[in-house]
Amino acid sequence: MRMTGGDAILRSLEAEGVEVMFGIPGGAIMPTYDAIARGTTVRHVLARHEQGAGHMAQGYARASGRVGVAIATSGPGATNLVTPIADAWMDSTPLVCITGQVRSTLIGTDAFQECDITGITMPIVKHSWLVQDAREIPAVLRAAFHVASTGRCGPVLVDIPRDVQEAAIDFAYPDGVDLPGWRPPTKVHPLQVREAARAIAHARKPVLYVGGGALNGDACAELLQLAEAGTLPVITTLMGKSAFPETHELHFGWPGMHGPKWSNLAMNTCDVLVAIGARFDDRVTGKLSAFAPGATVVHLDIDPAEISKLRDADIPVVGPLAQAVSALADEVALQRTEGAPAPEAWLGQIRDWREEFPLRYGESDEWLKPQQVVQALQRLTAGTDVIVTTGVGQHQMWAMQYVVSEQPRSFITSGGLGTMGYGIPAAIGAKAARPEATVVCIDGDGCFQMTAQELATAALEDLPIVVVLVNNGYLGMVTQWQDMFFDGRRSHVHLTAQVPDYARLAEAYGGVGMVVSSEAELEPALEQALGLGRTVVIDCRVDPAEQIFPMIPAGAAALDMLEYSDTDDSVEARAS
């Protein structure tokens, strides 16, 4: 079939089953957009900034489990994708980014809107291609999707000069790929699994430490099987949140810097720590040398480079996680039938810690508390088909603590890179992936202002989201650190709660705006917003002095935790 390179790009996306792509046209990618105008089955969502397009593609990928696709022009269009690419790299999100490039004859001449985007992104992609012959387009895109979605997922980049998009080729999409250098593990060694099962089944104090790899590897059902087969406590990281139902009796919270005390006590006093798709991130471990001292470490991962990278693995299990966890569940169940006892006393100890050290915050007659905002949202959405995205900062941690995730892929956030502005575009991408779901972005006022223009995308593309804005008028997490570790010297963190007028800004972008400043106003506003079926921003004016606790200071041991301190005018409130 004779066609242009731009048409070949679209036919390749269609052959991969792509349903939605996110992007913005520009000079060097115009031949491909001209091909879009001629017709394609792939929906194009017009973002307002390439960073927004990239985060939308991430949200789509995280909500659906499929590869997200972002498209941009050369130069500044391509460099605007760098942050989403880096974010996808850190969080192992499958992403194919297609960028236009200046004509082949102009490469290296500092032409208008030329930049070496393959060179710029080299450290943060699994692989990149500069296509120099239009006949290579089908094979390159076939390889791009394969690399992005196999092994440890991640981003790839395909850079295509304008003249290559314009050239005519005879199109044929390849059935497979020929990549001798890319051979991710496809099997699990049974001896590794048996050794791991023996250690787990005979442990007195085991813990399953579950990261985002369980979601990326579609191992959630197998994880539930393993936990129930061995009666094992499960602690999920921020990236692993929603991999295990948080209403389940074996779920015991989230570890690390702002995790509950009971979760961190369990992680750091266990005798067998089973890391499943987790990478011993510094925000989880605190001071690494003091983390889980004396524990036997069983580490399951698709990526052999993660094994013993930070913490030596006593028993490594390398391979696809769904396969590995399923085999481990069967072996642990066998060990239980042969007499290995369940750790009932240990589970009782963790429950006692949870009762003794609940999440707490002080109530106020003057201010709405941010925790109340998230708890009210949780009450109204419990048991429904809801996806929650967040920005990065204090509100992200309150969301981790008070949102109860029951279904896989229902909590989407930026973990490794910590990208402010991630929440709104990720929510739009999630809505494109799951139009039947209610999608809520819990955002901070600092994050909101970084990608607020994408509200126009949500309104005009009929991808309605609800933004619950936790507005304290400050860059909250930076303010907390300045107050706690810099003697209260606040430097350039005051945003004001009134500028911009977030409700009117939402209306200017085609949505609905609301302002809430008291607990009495909160639930009625949330209920109305959730039922409108439109893009809504609820500006929740919260206590600017509220801090996120517990907290492990950076570099401190995980058990050197700073906890919320009661004052005379405060009232304890427990996590629901």
Side-chain angles (χ1 to χ4, degrees):
M1 199 185 325
R2 196 75 174 166
M3 63 182 67
T4 69
D7 287 297
I9 292 170
L10 298 181
R11 301 296 86 77
S12 298
L13 296 181
E14 292 164 0
E16 288 293 337
V18 174
E19 296 177 351
V20 187
M21 58 183 168
F22 307 86
I24 302 179
I29 198 70
M30 283 179 67
T32 297
Y33 273 84
D34 188 50
I36 293 173
R38 288 195 293 274
T40 177
T41 60
V42 182
R43 178 184 181 182
H44 180 276
V45 173
L46 177 62
R48 294 305 184 267
H49 189 286
E50 290 88 358
Q51 181 183 353
H55 292 322
M56 289 175 202
Q58 287 184 275
Y60 179 92
R62 296 272 296 280
S64 67
R66 305 176 67 187
V67 177
V69 178
I71 185 167
T73 192
S74 64
T79 57
N80 283 342
L81 281 177
V82 169
T83 295
I85 291 170
D87 194 281
W89 173 258
M90 292 289 282
D91 289 344
S92 303
T93 302
L95 201 64
V96 171
C97 294
I98 300 170
T99 54
Q101 183 54 275
V102 299
R103 295 182 181 278
S104 302
T105 55
L106 295 176
I107 291 176
T109 68
D110 294 332
F112 177 67
Q113 291 192 333
E114 179 195 358
C115 78
D116 178 10
I117 193 61
T118 55
I120 288 170
T121 58
M122 188 176 293
I124 52 170
V125 294
K126 292 181 71 175
H127 196 68
S128 60
W129 293 261
L130 173 60
V131 181
Q132 300 182 67
D133 186 328
R135 292 171 294 183
E136 298 174 357
I137 289 173
V140 165
L141 286 172
R142 180 74 176 84
F145 278 86
H146 179 75
V147 171
S149 60
T150 56
R152 181 177 181 170
C153 298
V156 299
L157 177 83
V158 181
D159 195 31
I160 309 177
R162 178 168 175 156
D163 57 307
V164 173
Q165 298 169 53
E166 293 170 336
I169 65 166
D170 292 315
F171 178 82
Y173 202 65
D175 294 328
V177 293
D178 181 21
L179 297 169
W182 178 241
R183 293 286 186 267
T186 58
K187 296 180 180 179
V188 179
H189 200 293
L191 294 181
Q192 291 178 324
V193 172
R194 286 192 204 111
E195 186 180 358
R198 279 194 296 271
I200 295 166
H202 291 278
R204 292 186 304 108
K205 299 186 294 180
V207 165
L208 300 184
Y209 154 43
V210 179
L215 288 160
N216 292 335
D218 289 322
C220 299
E222 293 80 3
L223 173 63
L224 180 61
Q225 179 190 358
L226 171 61
E228 292 181 340
T231 319
L232 304 169
V234 178
I235 295 175
T236 48
T237 68
L238 178 67
M239 293 306 300
K241 187 175 172 72
S242 82
F244 191 85
E246 296 182 348
T247 51
H248 197 288
E249 63 177 358
L250 290 172
H251 187 263
F252 287 97
W254 320 271
M257 181 170 280
H258 296 292
K261 189 170 184 176
W262 74 80
S263 305
N264 281 300
L265 281 169
M267 289 270 283
N268 282 274
T269 59
C270 68
D271 60 0
V272 174
L273 182 65
V274 187
I276 301 175
R279 58 187 182 87
F280 294 89
D281 175 72
D282 62 288
R283 284 300 193 261
V284 167
T285 65
K287 185 179 180 181
L288 186 61
S289 61
F291 178 70
T296 296
V297 173
V298 178
H299 195 168
L300 288 74
D301 210 289
I302 183 68
D303 184 2
E306 282 298 330
I307 303 295
S308 298
K309 185 178 82 174
L310 293 172
R311 173 68 181 262
D312 286 340
D314 299 288
I315 306 172
V317 181
V318 177
L321 282 185
Q323 185 185 137
V325 177
S326 178
L328 187 59
D330 291 342
E331 287 289 338
V332 169
L334 181 61
Q335 293 280 335
R336 288 281 184 258
T337 61
E338 293 176 352
E344 296 295 348
W346 174 234
L347 292 171
Q349 174 66 80
I350 304 174
R351 292 188 186 104
D352 289 346
W353 284 332
R354 184 167 58 187
E355 184 66 25
E356 184 180 356
F357 305 112
L359 295 173
R360 297 179 298 152
Y361 60 90
E363 293 183 340
S364 170
D365 294 329
E366 180 183 1
W367 287 102
L368 180 64
K369 292 288 185 175
Q371 298 94 330
Q372 292 172 326
V373 173
V374 183
Q375 286 182 305
L377 175 66
Q378 173 58 36
R379 285 193 297 272
L380 291 172
T381 57
T384 67
D385 186 8
V386 62
I387 297 172
V388 173
T389 72
T390 80
V392 169
Q394 289 176 316
H395 69 275
Q396 178 189 32
M397 297 297 102
W398 284 313
M400 179 190 74
Q401 292 177 343
Y402 293 100
V403 169
V404 180
S405 299
E406 297 183 56
Q407 297 298 323
R409 302 187 179 277
S410 61
F411 188 89
I412 299 171
T413 192
S414 170
L417 198 64
T419 303
M420 292 178 67
Y422 177 90
I424 289 174
I428 295 169
K431 185 67 176 179
R434 297 266 312 283
E436 74 286 354
T438 299
V439 181
V440 179
C441 170
I442 299 174
D443 218 358
D445 43 329
C447 290
F448 178 94
Q449 294 185 67
M450 294 192 176
T451 50
Q453 71 275 3
E454 302 306 340
L455 293 173
T457 303
L460 295 176
E461 294 281 350
D462 193 23
L463 296 169
I465 62 172
V466 175
V467 181
V468 178
L469 186 64
V470 181
N471 178 9
N472 62 7
Y474 285 84
L475 296 172
M477 189 67 86
V478 180
T479 302
Q480 177 168 337
W481 279 56
Q482 289 179 348
D483 285 351
M484 295 178 70
F485 307 118
F486 292 86
D487 298 326
R489 290 185 298 277
R490 295 188 176 183
S491 180
H492 300 282
V493 289
H494 189 208
L495 300 174
T496 79
Q498 297 81 24
V499 179
D501 185 323
Y502 295 101
R504 292 177 66 185
L505 184 63
E507 292 167 0
Y509 278 126
V512 177
M514 304 177 183
V515 179
V516 169
S517 56
S518 70
E519 190 174 5
E521 299 169 337
L522 179 60
E523 285 206 18
L526 285 170
E527 197 164 15
Q528 181 184 356
L530 291 167
L532 280 175
R534 294 184 60 190
T535 291
V536 183
V537 175
I538 310 174
D539 179 4
C540 301
R541 306 285 178 88
V542 302
D543 186 352
E546 189 69 13
Q547 296 183 331
I548 174 73
F549 288 105
M551 180 178 183
I552 301 167
L559 295 181
D560 294 335
M561 179 176 288
L562 303 176
E563 298 182 72
Y564 170 79
S565 298
D566 284 318
T567 58
D568 292 339
D569 59 352
S570 68
V571 178
E572 180 180 288
R574 293 174 181 265
S576 59

